[in-house]
Amino acid sequence: MRKDVRILLVGEPKVGKTSLIMSLVSEEFPDEVPLRAEEITIPADVTPERVPTHIVDYSEAEQSDEQLYQEISKANVICIVYSVNNKKSIEKVTSHWIPLINDRTDKDSRVPLILVGNKSDLVEHSSMETILPIMNQYQDIETCVECSAKNLKNISELFYYAQKAVLHPTGPLYCPEEKEMKPSCVKALTRIFKVSDLDNDGILNDNELNFFQRTCFNTPLAPQALEDVKNVVRRNMTDGVQDNGLTLKGFLFLHTLFIQRGRHETTWTVLRRFGYDDDLELTQEYLFPLIKIPPDCTTELNHNAYLFLQSVFDKHDKDRDCALSPEEVKDLFKVFPYMPWGPDVNNTVCTNDKGWITYQGYLSQWTLTTYLDVQRSLEYLGYLGYSIIYEQESQAAAMTVTRNKRIDLQKKQTQRSVFRCNVVGSQGSGKSGFLQAFLGRSLQRQRTIREDHKSLYAISTTYVYGQEKYLLLHELMPEFDFLGPDEADLSCDVVCLVYDVNNPQSFEYCAKVYKKHFMDSKTPCMLIAAKSDLHEIRQHYSLTPLEFCRRHKLHPPQPFTCNTSDVPIKDLYTKLTTMAMYPHARLRCTCASKRCAYCLCQKLLTLGLLRSVKAQLRRVALHRSLSTYLWLPLFLFLLHVFTLC
């Protein structure tokens, strides 16, 4: 709603413009009337709509045409005053004032007009028969009021209607010629209905109607009032009420009835509560609330946001198969002005055998959007009505801004739930296959993906020591412009260097990228020997991949293939997530296996049972079995116990 209202009074000389203003202020007819009243501001606390109101007078004797034009451009509503006992002043309304105002205002943003017939105390007849044809001719005219400055008839009503014409205009809502709501109004109210229909059955039941009433008007409806509303709809249309609930047709009919009876404020209260402006567009303040994101911090959805998104998923998963069919996805996004998800989304997150987005994939896509573009995520939550349904000030309440990553690195711990892995490699090295395998897709299934539907991202959940985390894989093109070492530490949490074991030129690219950008970086790196099902060819580089890893104290190359009949194994992705969570322990094993001696030592260290054993841990070869190195963790544990004793 507007922060203030500016009312301009124009008209022929001697019609009583100044008298109307002075009678309103002093509540009595003035003995002496000046040529023009000074601008008056009525405080918000004494106006019906609680909005400050500025009343501006115009005098032909004291003001120039240029001053009049300036006042017209600043006015929110213009009252054209005529004298009911002066036919010439009535004729001037159409011959002079309306054309003048229209010439000085933009066609797409015309100010509302109110016709004011003053001096009604001097005649016994009404001027309405003359004025009604004028009102029908000009759509900008909101209403006509007959009043008298002398006996104070309809003075306060005049300025109330003027204020109402600004705050609750009829124009955007209703077409008087067609006697129905305008398409933009129907579209807005349809979205409001769908957001309020919490179970998505196409009917607002009593609980949903009460929630809607409380949300918009801060008070629930009494049971009898609910029945009265439904009875009004029943009497006027056959399909307005079903199963004792209000259908969309009934909901729209009620608002049409409100508008026709002059209760525009009821519909506007609903529209504004759901974020609409005077043009029936969702406001920027509603869609993009302010949220401060310091440098080197990331954004994640909090617990309440995931609960809300879960309820939205359940609401539209009609067949309860834990996946959204194309029709269900389309239904979910009917409250959006456009389709936010393209076909690439199905290749970014997990889907079922039919290619439908699963519940896990649905939440993963929301997590990805929030991480990469928090403003877009805020916009999407706004369309879904998060702040309304969860009764929050804005959808910014759904976001968590994580701690600065530099602090995480210093403290060697993090509370984040989303970790980013940049996947680097030469053309054809197998990066795309590595991303799609994370989503459980074999090479055979990947070959069915259209080129224009491919995605450079893949996101899903992994489990590290029983904690669910999101791993976001981002495939970088070979021509990608890498950042410096300091910036690289903050742009991602772990780096995956992929080379093709069957291509002798493939490893050299990974080696050069590592030495140039990540050798002095704090970001952990893992080398992936992709297409390991093929014959391994010696790489054209001075060092073999294994020798390179040993020299730079990296994990040995991890064999990987997605050319399998079964779903590709996800162990590598768990290792990457663990490395991202604990970047300071770069030489640690990350297999999280119960049979791995190294992982057992790390577990004891995490629990506080082992301290100062980093030197011993470094000597343990990666992925050695517990049977071979059983003595080491037991020896270290017993040593620690004896030290405590």
Side-chain angles (χ1 to χ4, degrees):
M1 189 177 289
R2 291 181 180 273
K3 294 181 180 179
D4 60 0
V5 174
R6 190 174 182 86
I7 303 171
L8 173 64
L9 274 69
V10 298
E12 294 300 295
K14 306 296 183 181
V15 293
K17 302 184 295 296
T18 308
S19 299
L20 289 170
I21 297 172
M22 297 186 72
S23 294
L24 173 73
V25 175
S26 62
E27 296 185 350
E28 61 179 6
F29 186 69
D31 294 330
E32 294 185 10
V33 181
L35 291 175
R36 177 175 175 267
E38 295 295 325
E39 180 177 326
I40 293 171
T41 298
I42 302 176
D45 56 355
V46 298
T47 63
E49 298 292 343
R50 301 293 177 183
V51 176
T53 302
H54 311 281
I55 302 175
V56 181
D57 191 13
Y58 164 71
S59 172
E60 185 179 310
E62 289 196 355
Q63 292 176 285
S64 64
D65 289 346
E66 189 59 38
Q67 288 175 310
L68 172 61
Y69 302 153
Q70 290 178 2
E71 290 295 349
I72 290 173
S73 65
K74 292 189 292 184
N76 302 129
V77 57
I78 298 176
C79 296
I80 304 177
V81 184
Y82 65 90
S83 177
V84 294
N85 64 342
N86 186 337
K87 290 185 178 180
K88 186 177 180 181
S89 68
I90 298 176
E91 292 171 359
K92 282 282 188 176
V93 169
T94 53
S95 64
H96 176 69
W97 289 109
I98 293 179
L100 172 68
I101 293 167
N102 287 343
D103 288 343
R104 296 293 165 178
T105 54
D106 186 35
K107 186 177 181 181
D108 297 327
S109 57
R110 292 269 172 86
V111 293
L113 305 177
I114 292 181
L115 302 186
V116 181
N118 192 22
K119 303 184 181 181
S120 63
D121 57 292
L122 299 180
V123 294
E124 294 182 357
H125 62 275
S126 172
S127 62
M128 285 301 175
E129 290 185 6
T130 309
I131 296 301
L132 281 175
I134 299 175
M135 293 180 64
N136 293 330
Q137 183 180 354
Y138 296 96
Q139 295 183 10
D140 300 333
I141 299 175
E142 286 284 321
T143 188
C144 177
V145 183
E146 286 193 346
C147 56
S148 170
K150 189 170 185 178
N151 59 21
L152 308 183
K153 177 187 175 183
N154 288 341
I155 300 297
S156 57
E157 287 81 357
L158 157 64
F159 291 100
Y160 168 71
Y161 288 134
Q163 191 182 60
K164 184 178 175 181
V166 178
L167 303 178
H168 311 301
T170 309
L173 305 182
Y174 191 73
C175 181
E177 290 83 6
E178 303 292 334
K179 295 185 178 179
E180 60 184 26
M181 285 192 294
K182 291 186 175 179
S184 56
C185 183
V186 172
K187 182 180 177 182
L189 290 173
T190 301
R191 170 185 167 265
I192 291 170
F193 180 90
K194 288 190 67 66
V195 169
S196 304
D197 183 12
L198 302 179
D199 56 9
N200 198 34
D201 64 350
I203 297 170
L204 294 185
N205 57 40
D206 287 357
N207 290 332
E208 291 166 341
L209 281 169
N210 261 318
F211 178 79
F212 171 81
Q213 181 74 13
R214 191 178 71 251
T215 298
C216 296
F217 304 101
N218 299 318
T219 179
L221 281 171
Q224 186 57 49
L226 272 174
E227 285 305 313
D228 292 342
V229 167
K230 287 183 278 191
N231 286 333
V232 168
V233 177
R234 284 192 187 100
R235 285 196 299 268
N236 288 274
M237 57 192 322
T238 55
D239 52 354
V241 177
Q242 287 182 9
D243 298 330
N244 202 35
L246 204 61
T247 65
L248 174 60
K249 287 185 178 179
F251 183 75
L252 294 175
F253 167 77
L254 273 181
H255 282 281
T256 304
L257 200 61
F258 291 145
I259 296 167
Q260 288 175 342
R261 294 182 177 180
R263 292 176 56 189
H264 314 89
E265 63 273 14
T266 302
T267 301
W268 275 115
T269 300
V270 171
L271 290 166
R272 290 195 172 107
R273 178 65 184 92
F274 279 78
Y276 289 93
D277 61 14
D278 289 351
D279 298 320
L280 297 186
E281 298 287 344
L282 290 171
T283 65
Q284 294 295 298
E285 292 79 11
Y286 173 80
L287 290 177
F288 305 104
L290 291 177
I291 179 171
K292 293 183 179 179
I293 306 172
D296 307 327
C297 297
T298 60
T299 46
E300 299 176 1
L301 295 165
N302 61 28
H303 179 64
N304 282 339
Y306 280 116
L307 288 179
F308 171 75
L309 292 171
Q310 178 183 344
S311 69
V312 173
F313 183 93
D314 293 340
K315 173 179 174 178
H316 292 88
D317 183 19
K318 294 289 186 68
D319 52 10
R320 297 292 181 263
D321 62 348
C322 290
L324 294 177
S325 67
E327 292 75 22
E328 289 170 340
V329 170
K330 188 177 180 181
D331 183 49
L332 190 155
F333 291 125
K334 277 185 178 178
V335 294
F336 285 56
Y338 56 88
M339 176 58 72
W341 290 359
D344 60 316
V345 171
N346 293 59
N347 301 310
T348 304
V349 298
C350 293
T351 58
N352 63 12
D353 294 337
K354 298 178 181 178
W356 299 352
I357 295 174
T358 62
Y359 172 68
Q360 179 188 342
Y362 164 83
L363 292 182
S364 296
Q365 178 62 25
W366 277 98
T367 303
L368 173 70
T369 305
T370 304
Y371 185 92
L372 296 179
D373 190 348
V374 68
Q375 292 298 320
R376 180 160 293 188
S377 189
L378 289 169
E379 179 188 3
Y380 292 172
L381 287 172
Y383 292 135
L384 291 173
Y386 171 82
S387 62
I388 295 157
I389 293 174
Y390 267 53
E391 301 181 65
Q392 299 287 342
E393 185 176 343
S394 73
Q395 52 269 28
M399 302 297 162
T400 295
V401 179
T402 64
R403 186 170 64 181
N404 189 307
K405 191 181 174 185
R406 297 180 193 273
I407 299 176
D408 282 353
L409 293 171
Q410 291 170 3
K411 293 185 177 291
K412 299 182 179 180
Q413 61 179 355
T414 181
Q415 298 297 320
R416 290 184 295 141
S417 299
V418 186
F419 298 92
R420 179 170 181 162
C421 172
N422 283 344
V423 182
V424 182
S426 60
Q427 190 74 28
S429 59
K431 301 187 298 297
S432 298
F434 185 72
L435 265 68
Q436 290 301 311
F438 184 36
L439 306 177
R441 294 165 187 154
S442 64
L443 183 62
Q444 183 178 359
R445 187 173 173 186
Q446 291 177 32
R447 285 170 176 161
T448 64
I449 301 174
R450 288 174 45 176
E451 191 67 30
D452 56 339
H453 290 179
K454 289 184 177 179
S455 172
L456 296 178
Y457 293 94
I459 183 171
S460 189
T461 54
T462 60
Y463 287 86
V464 179
Y465 297 127
Q467 300 179 63
E468 184 183 66
K469 303 293 180 181
Y470 282 95
L471 179 64
L472 162 59
L473 301 179
H474 179 204
E475 178 185 346
L476 300 184
M477 294 292 100
E479 63 273 11
F480 182 80
D481 186 16
F482 287 95
L483 302 171
D486 293 338
E487 290 80 4
D489 287 340
L490 302 171
S491 65
C492 67
D493 302 294
V494 62
V495 174
C496 196
L497 300 163
V498 182
Y499 74 97
D500 180 358
V501 300
N502 196 241
N503 182 353
Q505 309 293 336
S506 185
F507 175 71
E508 183 179 9
Y509 178 83
C510 294
K512 288 181 177 179
V513 167
Y514 177 81
K515 291 173 71 175
K516 183 176 180 181
H517 299 285
F518 299 104
M519 190 165 65
D520 299 323
S521 166
K522 295 178 182 178
T523 304
C525 298
M526 178 183 284
L527 195 65
I528 301 295
K531 306 181 184 180
S532 59
D533 57 303
L534 302 178
H535 176 66
E536 185 171 358
I537 298 176
R538 179 176 177 80
Q539 297 291 320
H540 293 174
Y541 190 70
S542 57
L543 298 173
T544 66
L546 182 60
E547 291 170 342
F548 182 87
C549 290
R550 286 175 178 168
R551 174 170 294 187
H552 295 284
K553 299 180 180 180
L554 297 172
H555 293 284
Q558 305 291 303
F560 167 79
T561 180
C562 55
N563 190 14
T564 59
S565 56
D566 299 326
V567 174
I569 300 174
K570 290 191 175 183
D571 287 351
L572 274 179
Y573 307 103
T574 302
K575 294 178 184 180
L576 286 168
T577 311
T578 311
M579 292 170 68
M581 288 179 65
Y582 305 105
H584 53 282
R586 295 186 63 178
L587 292 177
R588 65 195 289 163
C589 175
T590 58
C591 70
S593 170
K594 293 180 180 178
R595 298 186 304 156
C596 177
Y598 187 89
C599 283
L600 178 59
C601 291
Q602 281 291 352
K603 189 73 172 177
L604 293 172
L605 183 63
T606 304
L607 296 173
L609 298 177
L610 288 176
R611 303 182 191 279
S612 305
V613 293
K614 290 185 180 178
Q616 291 90 328
L617 290 174
R618 290 194 183 97
R619 295 176 190 149
V620 181
L622 299 177
H623 297 269
R624 301 302 187 186
S625 68
L626 184 59
S627 59
T628 307
Y629 287 96
L630 181 63
W631 60 269
L632 180 61
L634 291 177
F635 173 76
L636 293 173
F637 177 66
L638 291 173
L639 179 63
H640 177 67
V641 172
F642 284 124
T643 304
L644 291 177
C645 295

